[in-house]
Amino acid sequence: MRAAHLWLGVCAAMACHAAWAAAPRSKSLAQFDAGYAQCEKRHAEMRGQGDQVYANLYRLKLDDSLRATLAESRRSALYKSERRRASQKLARSMAASDVTDRLELQCQALQRELHKNPGAAKR
């Protein structure tokens, strides 16, 4: 019986750790996705390549496991609220010309990240 309690404690700790580890990814992913969506609007060749660019930026290997993790993060409430917040902030600041210029520089940097791994086919 004691072993069962210990096992439940270990499982609970692992679940808490997984949720804690996913929280920063959800927030950074939401902010990245909001900015990347603006770049996709400006540059058609970037459409559908967001996961590859995200992986390149964070020096991650884009495989099925990472794709599943990103999809799970995008379904989380934290991601959805952070994405809404980031999108609203971008929309409010887009009127300033310096913001538009900085966004274009960011889009160019993201395009370079996309071209670092030209062999990666989009799925």
Side-chain angles (χ1 to χ4, degrees), residues 11-23:
C11 289
M14 289 172 57
C16 288
H17 177 70
W20 180 81

Side-chain angles (χ1 to χ4, degrees), residues 64-84:
D64 291 339
S65 174
L66 180 59
R67 287 180 200 276
T69 301
L70 295 176
E72 184 179 332
S73 293
R74 286 183 176 116
R75 287 189 298 269
S76 74
L78 176 61
Y79 171 88
K80 291 174 183 176
S81 72
E82 189 61 38
R83 173 73 190 261
R84 191 173 16 309

Side-chain angles (χ1 to χ4, degrees), residues 22-39:
R25 174 160 290 157
S26 293
K27 186 172 181 175
S28 70
L29 181 62
Q31 293 169 348
F32 171 83
D33 283 351
Y36 194 81
Q38 296 297 317
C39 293

Side-chain angles (χ1 to χ4, degrees), residues 63-116:
D63 56 11
D64 291 339
S65 174
L66 180 59
R67 287 180 200 276
T69 301
L70 295 176
E72 184 179 332
S73 293
R74 286 183 176 116
R75 287 189 298 269
S76 74
L78 176 61
Y79 171 88
K80 291 174 183 176
S81 72
E82 189 61 38
R83 173 73 190 261
R84 191 173 16 309
R85 189 174 310 132
S87 295
Q88 289 169 349
K89 186 176 179 181
L90 272 173
R92 284 192 304 267
S93 62
M94 285 303 289
S97 64
D98 64 324
V99 171
T100 304
D101 294 341
R102 282 187 285 156
L103 178 62
E104 185 55 36
L105 290 173
Q106 278 186 325
C107 290
Q108 291 171 6
L110 291 174
Q111 283 177 317
R112 286 191 296 275
E113 286 296 327
L114 181 61
H115 296 298
K116 280 184 180 179

Side-chain angles (χ1 to χ4, degrees), residues 53-71:
V53 175
Y54 184 83
N56 287 353
L57 280 173
Y58 288 96
R59 307 299 182 246
L60 302 170
K61 179 183 176 193
L62 185 61
D63 56 11
D64 291 339
S65 174
L66 180 59
R67 287 180 200 276
T69 301
L70 295 176

